[in-house]
Amino acid sequence: RASGTLGPVALNVGGSFFSAAATDVDPLAAWALTPTDLRARGWVADVTARYRVSRTLVAVAGGEFGVQPHALLGAEWRRDLTRTLPLEEGDDPGAEPLTARTGSVTLRLGARAGADVLGVTGGVSYAAESGLSASLDALAGPGGWGAVGSLGVPGLLGEESSTRLYVAYEPWRRAAAPLRAGAEVAVPLGSGTLTTDLRGGSGGFGVRASYRFPLGSGGESGE
């Protein structure tokens, strides 16, 4: 994968060739939030170009190639959320009030067209300064609909813990599981972190637990 800029356009290009199924390496790969190509061998590539129209508006164009070639075109609008800070002793009451950023909201609108897919897309994302995040994207067209949603909550199970829930239904994808859902939890335990993943959807489900801890003082880690 490579990324860079070409004049006012930011480019991101990626591709892969594989000769073994992803589930041979990771049995839970089929139900990841990001759709995974489940073929035993093949290749895929993608390209995305982003052009900043203004401070809050970005135009997006791109496409995917391989088993299901298609193109996408859309726009993203982002707004920062702020709150007014209370006046402190000695502040000038007539001065413009100070504000602090509390998060951001991003709206997406576009279209996707190609092999076995044709529809209008839309989505919304929210991100708070506390680390809380939520997103929902949907596609609707002549062939049906699909949706992807996720929720990330920091500190739900204690300080420095993280929890992420997601569900995706994308029946239009040729090589990926159409239904995917999961819960991923990471909790500090002792000198390391205990991570538990519960994933499932089309074809079954699975659970994985792992423990990561530092080895010595050189930054290495064991699992």
Side-chain angles (χ1 to χ4, degrees):
R1 181 164 297 279
S3 60
T5 58
L6 182 62
V9 179
L11 293 175
N12 191 304
V13 181
S16 64
F17 171 80
F18 51 94
S19 57
T23 51
D24 290 346
V25 180
D26 178 3
L28 303 188
W31 309 299
L33 174 59
T34 302
T36 301
D37 194 318
L38 300 179
R39 294 175 298 161
R41 60 173 56 246
W43 66 273
V44 292
D46 65 86
V47 58
T48 303
R50 300 171 63 88
Y51 175 75
R52 184 171 294 278
V53 180
S54 67
R55 180 174 172 272
T56 58
L57 184 64
V58 176
V60 182
E64 296 182 15
F65 311 92
V67 65
Q68 190 175 13
H70 63 273
L72 59 92
L73 185 66
E76 298 179 358
W77 177 81
R78 173 175 169 170
R79 178 181 176 85
D80 288 336
L81 304 177
T82 61
R83 66 181 180 88
T84 301
L85 298 176
L87 291 175
E88 296 183 357
E89 185 177 354
D91 288 346
D92 181 3
E96 184 175 347
L98 298 176
T99 60
R101 186 176 181 273
T102 60
S104 64
V105 172
T106 302
L107 302 179
R108 294 177 289 276
L109 184 64
R112 192 182 291 262
D116 291 339
V117 58
L118 174 63
V120 176
T121 61
V124 58
S125 296
Y126 168 75
E129 290 295 292
S130 63
L132 177 70
S133 63
S135 68
L136 178 64
D137 286 272
L139 178 147
W145 63 277
V148 180
S150 66
L151 174 66
V153 185
L156 182 63
L157 299 178
E159 189 176 355
E160 297 185 6
S161 70
S162 64
T163 303
R164 185 176 72 153
L165 308 174
Y166 64 85
V167 61
Y169 177 65
E170 298 178 301
W172 56 272
R173 291 195 178 274
R174 286 181 176 177
L179 177 61
R180 310 181 302 277
E184 303 172 352
V185 178
V187 180
L189 182 63
S191 60
T193 301
L194 175 64
T195 303
T196 304
D197 293 347
L198 171 61
R199 300 181 187 177
S202 303
F205 71 94
V207 181
R208 174 172 56 216
S210 61
Y211 183 68
R212 185 179 296 272
F213 55 92
L215 296 176
S217 58
E220 300 88 349
S221 64
E223 186 173 356

